[in-house]
């Protein structure tokens, strides 16, 4: 009987550890991060010409996200500036992560009159 209680306790402890680790682990999609230089969302939004086709890393919080496949989203900073991130070439579908912190690597391109950040890798926390 004592052995059964010990085994049940170990199973419960293992499940609790798995649950805690799975909730705090970052979700990574696309290529591995390459350690690109960091730029701020506000810098990309305010002075896009300075960052055109330069590979950078950017961090923020996911705002609106594609409701169908999650392939694009808006990345916002604490000041309310935002950029559109397109992940369709790196990973055509992403889980809904609105409100989550994200780190994205890629490059800013001009798309018509607007600008988009074409991501090659993203990690949600």
């Amino acid at each position: 009987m004592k052995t059964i209680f010990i085994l049940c306790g170990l199973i419960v402890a293992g499940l609790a550890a798995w649950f805690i680790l799975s909730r705090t682990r970052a979700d990574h999609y696309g290529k591995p991060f390459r350690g690109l230089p960091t730029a701020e969302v506000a810098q990309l939004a305010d002075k896009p010409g300075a960052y055109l086709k330069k590979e950078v890393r950017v961090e923020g919080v996911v705002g609106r996200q594609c409701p169908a496949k999650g392939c694009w989203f808006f990345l916002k900073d604490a000041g309310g500036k935002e950029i559109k991130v397109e992940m369709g070439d790196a990973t055509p579908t992403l889980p809904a992560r609105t409100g989550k912190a994200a780190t994205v690597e890629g490059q800013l391109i001009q798309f018509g009159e607007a600008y988009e950040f074409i991501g090659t890798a993203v990690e949600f926390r």
Side-chain angles (χ1 to χ4, degrees):
M1 188 66 136
K2 194 178 202 181
T3 305
I4 292 174
F5 284 129
I6 290 172
L7 286 174
C8 288
L10 289 173
I11 290 170
V12 168
L15 288 173
W18 172 81
F19 180 76
I20 290 169
L21 289 174
S22 69
R23 303 291 278 172
T24 58
R25 188 182 73 206
D27 294 333
H28 186 94
Y29 299 90
K31 296 179 180 179
F33 281 146
R34 297 181 294 150
L36 296 175
T38 302
E40 302 293 326
V41 171
Q43 292 173 311
L44 297 175
D46 292 341
K47 298 181 182 176
Y51 293 92
L52 277 179
K53 298 186 181 179
K54 291 182 181 174
E55 293 185 315
V56 295
R57 174 184 291 213
V58 65
E59 297 181 356
V61 175
V62 177
R64 294 178 291 147
Q65 187 174 2
C66 172
K69 294 186 178 189
C71 56
W72 59 261
F73 56 88
F74 284 84
L75 194 64
K76 298 189 308 184
D77 67 8
K81 297 283 184 173
E82 68 179 11
I83 58 170
K84 183 178 181 186
V85 176
E86 175 62 56
M87 293 296 301
D89 290 340
T91 178
T93 59
L94 290 170
R97 293 293 186 256
T98 303
K100 301 288 184 184
T103 302
V104 186
E105 284 189 346
Q107 63 179 308
L108 193 68
I109 65 162
Q110 189 161 6
F111 188 73
E113 295 296 317
Y115 296 91
E116 288 186 358
F117 192 81
I118 305 300
T120 55
V122 62
E123 189 170 278
F124 301 106
R125 297 176 300 290

